[in-house]
Amino acid sequence: MIQLHKGYFLAGALTLLLGTNSCTNLDETLYSQIDASKFYNNRQEILSGVLRPYTHANAWMAPTSQNSYWRLNEMSADQLAWPQKGRHGYDDAVWIRLHGHSWTFTENMMWDPWSLIFTGIGFCNSTLGDFEKVDFVKAGVSDQDKAAFIAELKVFRAYHYMKLMDLYGNVPIVTKVGEPLSPPTAPRAEVFAFVEKELKENIDQLPNLSKALIGRLTKAAGYSMLAELYLNAQVWSGTPRWDDCIAACDKISKGETGGLNGAPVLDSDLLSTFNNTNDNSKEALFQITYDYQATPTRCGWNSDFYHFAQRLIYDGDANGNNGVVVIPSAYDAFKDNDLRKSTWMLIGPQFQAADPTKPVLGTEEYRDKQLVFVKEIRRASENKTSSTMIDGEENSGARFNKYRPGRQSEAKYWSNDWILYRLTDIYFYKAEALMRKNGGSAVPEAVQLINDVRKRAFRPADVAKEAYTAATLTLPELLAERSREFIFEGKRRTDMVRFGAFTTASWWDHQPTDKTKELFPIPQRQLAANPNLVQNPGYPGK
C-alpha cells in the first residue's frame, strides 16, 4: 500500500503541467518540482506527503543491495559475512574491513547509511514544513486526522534518529529543512532525549494497528520503538530504563495497540512471519510492505544473499552476487534438532524446484557439478584447510532462507513484507529487562517468555528437554538465543554492543578490537561539509 502515493505526486505534477496554458504570462514556471502551496489541496495529496518517507525506507532498513543500516549492523557482527570466494567478493576489501572492524572514515560504507538515513529525515522534515502552510479544513481533513498525520511523520523521524544514534552516537538534530545550514553535533544522550520526547508526545495520537494500516506507523510500531529505545537506554543515554521498557512491552502484549490480524500473538510456525503471505502474520507489528503483483517493487535481498544460480532453487527469476553467508561459528551455535537451523538456512546439496530430480549446478569452482552448500569457508576444491575472509569458494557458508519468495507461479510470488518489529521482539525485550532488573538472573516470567518463542523451534518431542530454566537462561545464553532467533534481521551488532560483546568477543577468524569501534565514524565528507560536527573518539578528524 505504501506505493500508492507515487501516483499522487505524478497526478499532481501532471495537473500543474497541463494547467499552464498562457502564452503571455512570462512568470517563471518550475516543472521539476511542485510548489507545496499548490499541491496539498485534498486528503489524497496530503496523504502522499505523509507516505513519501516510506518509499525511501527500504533503501536503508532492509537488505536491498545498498550500503544500509542493515549492512553495518549485521556484517560487522558475529553471524554474517561476505567473504572472498575465488575471483569474486574481494570488492576492494570493504567486506573484510567491515568484518575485522578496520573500516575508515573516508569510505562509502560509512557515508552511505548516514546519507540514506538523513535523506529520510529530510523527507519527514520537508512534509512537516509544508503542512504548516496547509489549510487542512479546506482540504477536507479533520483535526484528529491532521494530528495523526503529523504524529506519524514525527514518530518516523524519531525512528530514523534512533538508528542514526545507534550507528554513529553523537549526531546533529535537524527538524526544519536547511535550518541551521551547519548544525552542530548533539551528544548521544541529547539525541536519546529528543527521540524519547518525540515518541512519547506522538505515539498516542497514532491509530491502533490494523490490516488497513499495514506498513504504516501505528501505536504498535510506536511502542515497539519506545521499547527498543528503553532497552538500549544504558548504552545510548548512560541511564538504564528497564521499567520503562517493560511498560512499553506490556502495552503491546496486552493488545492495547491493535494487531495486524486480530490481537497480536506469536505465529505458531517458523515461516508464517516471513513468507510471501506474511501480511497474514499474527505477530507482525511493523513492516516494509511489498506487493510485487501490483507494483514493480520487491525486497531485493537476492543481490546480497543469492548464489549465481539460486533462482533455480526457488523456481524464481533472480540470482544474486553470491555474497553474504553464515559464519561457521554462528551456524554451529544452532543445535542439530533446532528447526531454525534447517528452516532458515540453506545447506547441503541443492536441487531445482521445478524438477527436484535435477541438481542445481555450480558456476565457478564446481562448474557442471552439483552445488552443495557447506558450513565451512575454505578452498576445499584445492584441499586447503585455511578458513578466513579470503579463503572462500562458491559453495562456502550456509545461506539465507528465512524469507522465501515462493515460485513464480504463486499468486503472491516475492511479495514478502520485510519485518521490522514482531511480537517476538517484545517477548525478548521484556525478558531481558526483567533479567537486568534482577541482577542478570532469570525470573520465572522471563523464562516463560523465551520458552514461549523457543518451543516452535523444536519438534513436540524435544520441546520439554530444550526448554530453559531459571538456571540455564543466563544473560550470555539470552544473547546466544537472540542470535538464533533474529538471524538475518539486522539486529545483531546492537545486541552485541548492549551485552558488551561487540569489541571483546572472538568469533571464527575475528579477534577483539578497540572499544571505540562500538561506534562508526562520522563520514569524512560530512565533516568536510559541516565544520560544526565533532568526530567520534578513535577516528581521524576534529
Side-chain angles (χ1 to χ4, degrees), residues 10 15 69 129 197 222 233 283 306 346 364 373 462 515:
L10 292 175
T15 298
Y69 173 90
K197 180 176 181 290
E283 71 169 80
Y306 279 11
L346 282 176
E364 298 292 322
F373 291 134
D462 291 336
K515 186 174 175 60

Side-chain angles (χ1 to χ4, degrees), residues 426-439:
I426 305 308
Y427 278 38
F428 271 79
Y429 290 169
K430 185 175 182 180
E432 183 178 336
L434 289 167
M435 292 175 68
R436 301 278 189 184
K437 277 188 62 179
N438 195 42

Side-chain angles (χ1 to χ4, degrees), residues 195-473:
V195 172
E196 180 186 20
K197 180 176 181 290
E198 290 285 283
L199 291 177
K200 290 179 68 175
E201 288 181 353
N202 292 285
I203 288 175
D204 287 332
Q205 297 185 69
L206 298 174
N208 278 0
L209 175 61
S210 67
K211 190 62 172 284
L213 294 172
I214 186 171
R216 296 274 298 279
L217 265 297
T218 64
K219 284 190 177 74
Y223 275 103
S224 297
M225 294 171 189
L226 197 61
E228 182 184 7
L229 183 75
Y230 289 141
L231 184 72
N232 292 283
Q234 190 161 22
V235 173
W236 293 344
S237 75
T239 303
R241 303 284 293 274
W242 309 123
D243 285 327
D244 290 325
C245 176
I246 291 167
C249 291
D250 285 344
K251 280 275 192 181
I252 296 167
S253 59
K254 291 178 180 178
E256 296 177 16
T257 62
L260 188 60
N261 293 282
V265 295
L266 296 175
D267 286 325
S268 60
D269 63 272
L270 295 175
L271 292 177
S272 294
T273 314
F274 309 105
N275 64 20
N276 61 23
T277 58
N278 63 350
D279 55 330
N280 296 318
S281 169
K282 294 286 188 180
E283 71 169 80
L285 299 172
F286 183 43
Q287 59 226 82
I288 308 175
T289 60
Y290 297 93
D291 185 345
Y292 190 49
Q293 285 63 49
T295 73
T297 306
R298 56 184 169 183
C299 189
W301 63 70
N302 58 293
S303 183
D304 277 8
F305 288 114
Y306 279 11
H307 181 271
F308 302 128
Q310 194 143 340
R311 66 179 182 81
L312 299 173
I313 296 173
Y314 296 109
D315 187 25
D317 66 342
N319 293 315
N321 292 319
N322 200 29
V324 178
V325 304
V326 179
I327 290 170
S329 54
Y331 181 78
D332 288 338
F334 292 79
K335 292 183 177 181
D336 287 341
N337 65 339
D338 189 331
L339 298 177
R340 293 171 296 192
K341 188 175 189 176
S342 56
T343 304
W344 290 346
M345 291 179 275
L346 282 176
I347 197 79
Q350 299 302 306
F351 295 88
Q352 298 184 28
D355 185 350
T357 67
K358 294 182 178 179
V360 175
L361 303 181
T363 61
E364 298 292 322
E365 292 89 352
Y366 298 95
R367 178 178 293 276
D368 299 328
K369 298 178 182 178
Q370 183 169 24
L371 182 63
V372 180
F373 291 134
V374 297
K375 74 169 187 178
E376 295 84 6
I377 298 174
R378 66 186 184 207
R379 298 199 61 76
S381 63
E382 299 172 2
N383 296 316
K384 293 182 178 179
T385 58
S386 175
S387 182
T388 72
M389 282 289 288
I390 64 171
D391 290 317
E393 51 189 15
E394 70 169 304
N395 67 340
S396 294
R399 304 304 173 100
F400 171 89
N401 199 35
K402 199 168 194 174
Y403 284 77
R404 303 180 184 186
R407 300 178 66 171
Q408 292 185 73
S409 59
E410 292 182 18
K412 296 284 286 181
Y413 172 65
W414 215 315
S415 286
N416 315 61
D417 296 341
W418 186 262
I419 306 296
L420 299 172
Y421 291 107
R422 52 192 177 108
L423 189 60
T424 297
D425 285 285
I426 305 308
Y427 278 38
F428 271 79
Y429 290 169
K430 185 175 182 180
E432 183 178 336
L434 289 167
M435 292 175 68
R436 301 278 189 184
K437 277 188 62 179
N438 195 42
S441 298
V443 298
E445 186 178 3
V447 175
Q448 187 63 54
L449 286 166
I450 302 304
N451 282 337
D452 284 347
V453 175
R454 185 174 166 84
K455 65 183 181 182
R456 66 187 173 197
F458 296 91
R459 294 181 176 86
D462 291 336
V463 168
K465 68 179 181 180
E466 296 296 344
Y468 286 117
T469 66
T472 58
L473 186 59

Side-chain angles (χ1 to χ4, degrees), residues 147-204:
F149 288 154
I150 291 173
E152 185 171 357
L153 288 162
K154 289 185 174 181
V155 169
F156 207 1
R157 181 176 65 188
Y159 182 67
H160 285 71
Y161 269 111
M162 183 168 72
K163 296 306 181 181
L164 274 173
M165 172 178 61
D166 180 18
L167 295 180
Y168 301 102
N170 310 319
V171 299
I173 299 173
V174 181
T175 59
K176 292 184 179 295
V177 176
E179 298 181 21
L181 289 177
S182 297
T185 300
R188 201 182 206 182
E190 185 177 324
V191 183
F192 180 96
F194 170 77
V195 172
E196 180 186 20
K197 180 176 181 290
E198 290 285 283
L199 291 177
K200 290 179 68 175
E201 288 181 353
N202 292 285
I203 288 175
D204 287 332

Side-chain angles (χ1 to χ4, degrees), residues 53-75:
Y54 289 94
T55 59
H56 178 71
N58 75 90
W60 68 271
M61 292 162 67
T64 54
S65 78
Q66 298 201 56
N67 290 332
S68 59
Y69 173 90
W70 185 94
R71 278 186 174 176
L72 285 188
N73 222 37
E74 283 289 6
M75 294 171 64

